[in-house]
Amino acid sequence: YKHPKYDLMLSVYVDDIVLSGPALWLDRGWALIKDSGILIDKIEDPGLYLGCNRHFHEQEVQVADTPDGKKQYKTVRYVVYEMEEYLKSTVERYKELSEKLTGTAPVLKPAKTPFLPEDTMESPARAPGDKCPWCERLFGNPQDEVPAVAAREKDPGGESGHEEGGHPHAYANVPTSPAKKNKKKSAAGKPADLQDNANPQDGSRGRLQSVASSVLMQILYAARLCRHDLLRPVLRLAAGVKDWDAKSDQKLHRLMRYIAATPKKRLVGWCGDSIDECSPHAYADADFAGCEKTMRSTSGASVLMEGPNTRFPIAGRSARQGCMSCSTPEAEMVACHMAYRNLFLPMFDVWDAFLPQGWHSYLHEDNQAMIRVIQSGKNPTMKTLKRCHGVDLSFLHERLSDS
């Protein structure tokens, strides 16, 4: 809520109330709240809010020199956001749950990044074939392959399944065909082809799947408030909970190693300018075909308030793209659309109320080909665009082009 006369902004979340604005009118604002009949506790300086600690500081910084060569200094206020104790408790909880499920206490050695080496060669779309396209028999281990002719001499009854004159590169020691293998009963008494492939019972399912969602959501809360560096790894793992496997266990362990090694990382925003000198900026980027399983790209966006001596973070987001992009410009287009439409545009109503009339916003991109396409509204180099990308292009051209 905004007070039209005193330029005060009131934020209410359940029983937490934060009032901000010119220091001259803060006492008057609290008095109005009390006079309205609302019972509030003792008014304290802003600190802990929604589980995130905020520390306010001031510092003298050097700005541009004067024409005569004298140094100029300016007072800059900055806020430090941190959830160190919260993240430490998350790490301890992960250790507890992991030891309970696996019987072994995890060792969290320091890690410099939250990611394991990612290689899209593991994607099903890029994996080599697992059966012969001629006879549809599964390939065996190349080191143990025996020509079918030799096998027929040892096994004249033809149990290997190859007829006379069969494919010359077929082998006798291949596994049982899928049709026969699926008739085997599982431990649960169901045919293998009726089981849930997303949760295989043959030991390939990750041992931490039952607690993965709980741990990831706890990390995600801190990631959204003050640890934007955790957004991508957490959301990538959360999107794969249904297909959780042993590799996912390793990725979660690597993420917890990184968090345990970086509890003192902070999100810092500073402001040294008046509201008239500041403007909102959005940054968009994409990780082309970054998902090793689906080959989908990932969109990332960040919104800040900027000025000559101001850099204040407002929001950040990371999300796997819902459509398949065939090139970097296409992936960047989807990321730019997400940043502008889902993150940037909804904030305009708030800025209309607080920024001076005629304020300008800025959207930043680093792909020149995509920028030219948005400016012209045409795509001569990307040939035929898919419907999703075409809608994104038309929307961004309409909103951002000079015309």
Side-chain angles (χ1 to χ4, degrees), residues 289-323:
C291 181
E292 64 270 22
K293 291 183 178 180
T294 65
M295 300 295 291
R296 292 186 183 272
S297 305
T298 301
S299 299
S302 181
V303 178
L304 301 91
M305 186 65 71
E306 298 185 9
N309 303 287
T310 300
R311 282 296 183 283
F312 208 95
I314 298 176
R317 186 175 180 182
S318 175
R320 188 172 65 180
Q321 296 182 3
C323 56

Side-chain angles (χ1 to χ4, degrees), residues 7 108 125 150 183 197 217 221 255 288 317 354 366 383:
D7 280 339
L108 301 180
K183 292 181 180 179
N197 292 329
M217 291 304 102
Y221 184 72
L255 175 59
F288 175 58
R317 186 175 180 182
F354 287 93
D366 61 355
K383 306 301 179 184

Side-chain angles (χ1 to χ4, degrees), residues 360-375:
H360 291 83
S361 61
Y362 300 88
L363 180 61
H364 300 262
E365 249 294 341
D366 61 355
N367 190 278
Q368 294 295 326
M370 194 276 293
I371 294 174
R372 295 300 182 190
V373 168
I374 291 179
Q375 289 175 340

Side-chain angles (χ1 to χ4, degrees), residues 288 297 324-331 386 389:
F288 175 58
S297 305
M324 185 65 69
S325 298
C326 299
S327 63
T328 298
E330 289 186 12
K386 300 175 184 177
H389 297 80

Side-chain angles (χ1 to χ4, degrees), residues 11-135:
S11 174
V12 180
Y13 186 87
V14 190
D15 58 348
D16 290 330
I17 300 177
V18 174
L19 185 66
S20 60
L24 178 65
W25 302 113
L26 283 177
D27 291 339
R28 179 57 179 163
W30 287 117
L32 291 174
I33 294 174
K34 293 179 180 179
D35 294 343
S36 66
I38 299 177
L39 299 178
I40 59 176
D41 294 333
K42 179 183 176 182
I43 300 171
E44 300 177 348
D45 292 334
L48 181 65
Y49 181 59
L50 302 182
C52 181
N53 292 301
R54 301 178 300 172
H55 307 281
F56 294 80
H57 306 277
E58 289 187 358
Q59 184 174 340
E60 292 285 331
V61 297
Q62 183 180 347
V63 295
D65 295 341
T66 60
D68 56 358
K70 293 182 179 179
K71 295 182 178 181
Q72 284 187 319
Y73 292 88
K74 193 172 188 178
T75 300
V76 173
R77 300 190 64 192
Y78 64 97
V79 184
V80 179
Y81 298 86
E82 57 91 5
M83 298 180 68
E84 182 175 346
E85 295 303 321
Y86 177 87
L87 289 173
K88 286 182 178 179
S89 67
T90 302
V91 172
E92 293 302 319
R93 184 167 177 267
Y94 165 77
K95 289 181 178 179
E96 235 178 82
L97 295 173
S98 180
E99 184 176 4
K100 185 177 179 181
L101 288 174
T102 64
T104 305
V107 179
L108 301 180
K109 297 181 180 179
K112 294 183 178 181
T113 70
F115 303 102
L116 287 175
E118 296 179 348
D119 187 2
T120 55
M121 288 298 295
E122 298 180 6
S123 170
R126 299 187 64 190
D130 58 355
K131 65 179 180 180
C132 175
W134 188 84
C135 65

Side-chain angles (χ1 to χ4, degrees), residues 167-359:
H167 194 273
H169 299 295
Y171 299 98
N173 66 329
V174 294
T176 310
S177 64
K180 294 181 179 180
K181 188 176 181 180
N182 286 342
K183 292 181 180 179
K184 299 174 69 175
K185 295 285 184 177
S186 66
K190 295 182 180 180
D193 57 352
L194 296 181
Q195 295 184 46
D196 183 5
N197 292 329
N199 296 315
Q201 303 299 319
D202 59 357
S204 63
R205 183 176 66 173
R207 302 173 73 180
L208 302 178
Q209 185 190 36
S210 59
V211 300
S213 295
S214 176
V215 174
L216 290 174
M217 291 304 102
Q218 191 170 350
I219 301 172
L220 182 60
Y221 184 72
R224 286 175 170 169
L225 288 179
C226 66
R227 288 293 300 270
H228 293 175
D229 57 319
L230 302 178
L231 284 173
R232 184 182 180 277
V234 172
L235 292 171
R236 177 62 60 83
L237 282 171
V241 170
K242 177 178 176 291
D243 304 316
W244 196 270
D245 54 15
K247 186 66 175 293
S248 302
D249 283 349
Q250 298 174 12
K251 291 181 179 180
L252 178 59
H253 183 73
R254 176 58 179 254
L255 175 59
M256 300 310 298
R257 287 174 53 195
Y258 174 74
I259 295 175
T262 58
K264 295 186 179 297
K265 275 188 176 290
R266 305 288 192 260
L267 180 67
V268 182
W270 63 92
C271 180
D273 306 299
S274 65
I275 193 67
D276 297 336
E277 299 176 283
C278 298
S279 56
H281 292 246
Y283 296 83
D285 203 356
D287 175 22
F288 175 58
C291 181
E292 64 270 22
K293 291 183 178 180
T294 65
M295 300 295 291
R296 292 186 183 272
S297 305
T298 301
S299 299
S302 181
V303 178
L304 301 91
M305 186 65 71
E306 298 185 9
N309 303 287
T310 300
R311 282 296 183 283
F312 208 95
I314 298 176
R317 186 175 180 182
S318 175
R320 188 172 65 180
Q321 296 182 3
C323 56
M324 185 65 69
S325 298
C326 299
S327 63
T328 298
E330 289 186 12
E332 295 281 354
M333 187 181 304
V334 177
C336 188
H337 179 265
M338 182 274 289
Y340 184 76
R341 182 175 180 271
N342 299 340
L343 198 63
F344 206 33
L345 200 57
M347 300 179 181
F348 282 19
D349 291 338
V350 177
W351 292 330
D352 281 335
F354 287 93
L355 293 178
Q357 189 174 5
W359 59 273

